Amino acid sequence: MRSVHVTAPDTTAWVDVDQPVAGPADVLLRMRACGICGSDALYTANGGIPPRQGATPLGHEPAAEVVEVGADVTGIAVGDHVVINTMALTDGLLGSGGAQGGLSEYVVIKDAQVGRQLRTIPKEIPWEVAALNEPMAVAYHAVNRTQPRPGAKVVVFGAGPIGLGAVLGYKRRGAAHVVVVDILPSRLDKALQVGADAVINSAQEDVAARPVELHGDGATVFNRGVRPGTDIYLDAAGAPVVPQTVARIAKHGATLGIVAVHKKPVELDLGGILTSELNLVWSMGYPTEIFEVTDDIIANWRRYALIVSDTLPFEKALDALELARTPGAADKVVVTFG
């Protein structure tokens, strides 16, 4: 079968591999959609992931159809539509250094257990929307790491897929007012469609002053002057200016969550952070959230569908990877299988 691999630094290619075979405890899946993540570009730039550098299968945002069920597996049937916990496969992380990748025609789930690696979804959910389950779990873990309380005032930096997923997550957790910051008007429009209460174009507006207008003045005796009354900031952008700005303007006791990948070290004013007692939290993966977001996607799939900007067929998977890694060319690219 055909599979997309990282074969060298900055190089992806089609590779012919053996189609996996399902044993009595396994489930064989036909891939039906797979999203492209920013991590795929990072893996490609590095020539893959050890110990599979030069031979790393790609694709970790999958949705699939069950085509074979081992005799020992219960709770799932041929023809079921499923989303996958890519961190729970026994042969490594799917598409992130493991033996298999979602940009392949078939994937086998060994020692399969429904609820651990697999979750069935209604067949009415479009495949490209089902493929959002994994990145939306990443976003929801970031939300959970910042521990929002009901009524929280939130600013999300970055209106890409993770930022938009975070908007939905914060609303689900009871946030009262969520603001999204970006520099692209099209992304800000989409943030409003998804459910943001307000947006800030940081190329045109003052990112320090505008949140004060929206969230009130949160200055205290420890942090004098005017500071936004924002409770939580989430960095889903990955620009050094984001944590630096938050460290400068945050009110006493606010929280900054980092889910974006920063490719270079970021200098922060620790003296200023000391006086504000800014809480810094970090987020990666989805220890519990992978199937927690599924119910919300099922109930609100039309809203999630707004996040997908481009769909390309599997035959153009290499083009999809290039499109996704080109700054400003696309927001969320999903490969679909015929």
Side-chain angles (χ1 to χ4, degrees):
M1 69 172 187
R2 292 187 303 165
S3 180
V4 176
H5 288 203
V6 178
T7 56
D10 291 317
T11 305
T12 56
W14 294 104
V15 177
D16 289 324
V17 298
D18 293 336
Q19 180 174 316
V21 177
D26 309 332
V27 171
L28 183 65
L29 303 176
R30 178 189 178 194
M31 300 307 303
R32 298 305 300 267
C34 187
I36 306 298
C37 175
S39 297
D40 293 319
L42 181 62
Y43 301 159
T44 302
N46 293 336
I49 303 173
R52 293 187 171 86
Q53 281 190 296
T56 300
L58 287 180
H60 61 270
E61 298 183 359
E65 181 179 358
V66 177
V67 294
E68 186 177 342
V69 178
D72 298 337
V73 182
T74 60
I76 200 166
V78 171
D80 281 350
H81 293 191
V82 297
V83 291
I84 305 168
N85 183 350
T86 64
M87 298 177 68
L89 274 65
T90 59
D91 57 355
L93 304 180
L94 182 71
S96 295
Q100 304 180 87
L103 287 175
S104 305
E105 295 179 83
Y106 294 89
V107 166
V108 66
I109 307 299
K110 299 179 180 179
D111 300 316
Q113 296 180 26
V114 176
R116 185 165 72 95
Q117 306 106 328
L118 300 169
R119 164 78 190 271
T120 59
I121 58 172
K123 295 182 179 180
E124 69 183 46
I125 308 299
W127 289 115
E128 66 271 18
V129 179
L132 293 174
N133 195 89
E134 197 271 355
M136 294 303 98
V138 172
Y140 197 45
H141 180 54
V143 170
N144 287 341
R145 287 284 290 148
T146 61
Q147 298 183 348
R149 297 178 180 177
K153 301 172 183 178
V154 181
V155 171
V156 175
F157 289 89
I162 301 302
L164 296 179
V167 171
L168 291 162
Y170 280 118
K171 285 297 185 179
R172 193 155 68 249
R173 288 288 303 268
H177 196 274
V178 180
V179 181
V180 174
V181 181
D182 207 296
I183 60 173
L184 296 177
S186 61
R187 285 189 167 194
L188 295 174
D189 289 342
K190 187 169 289 189
L192 291 170
Q193 294 176 50
V194 165
D197 297 289
V199 295
I200 298 172
N201 187 327
S202 56
Q204 301 174 357
E205 301 176 82
D206 188 333
V207 178
R210 182 68 175 133
V212 176
E213 298 175 13
L214 295 167
H215 292 165
D217 186 359
T220 67
V221 66
F222 291 105
N223 297 109
R224 301 180 186 276
V226 178
R227 289 176 177 250
T230 304
D231 301 301
I232 296 170
Y233 299 88
L234 183 69
D235 177 8
V241 70
V242 172
Q244 291 169 342
T245 298
V246 173
R248 176 171 56 86
I249 69 174
K251 73 174 184 179
H252 188 265
T255 295
L256 167 61
I258 308 287
V259 65
V261 176
H262 284 265
K263 298 178 181 179
K264 296 181 179 179
V266 178
E267 183 176 330
L268 294 177
D269 177 9
L270 297 185
I273 293 175
L274 178 66
T275 60
S276 68
E277 292 192 348
L278 176 67
N279 298 296
L280 293 172
V281 298
W282 316 89
S283 178
M284 183 176 179
Y286 34 85
T288 64
E289 292 85 358
I290 185 65
F291 298 138
E292 292 177 7
V293 300
T294 309
D295 288 333
D296 197 58
I297 292 175
I298 292 170
N300 301 289
W301 70 261
R302 289 175 177 83
R303 179 169 287 185
Y304 283 92
L306 296 169
I307 296 174
V308 179
S309 63
D310 297 83
T311 58
L312 280 76
F314 181 52
E315 292 73 19
K316 295 186 177 180
L318 300 185
D319 295 332
L321 287 162
E322 186 61 29
L323 176 64
R325 70 186 293 187
T326 302
D331 293 329
K332 185 60 185 178
V333 179
V334 179
V335 171
T336 55
F337 296 66

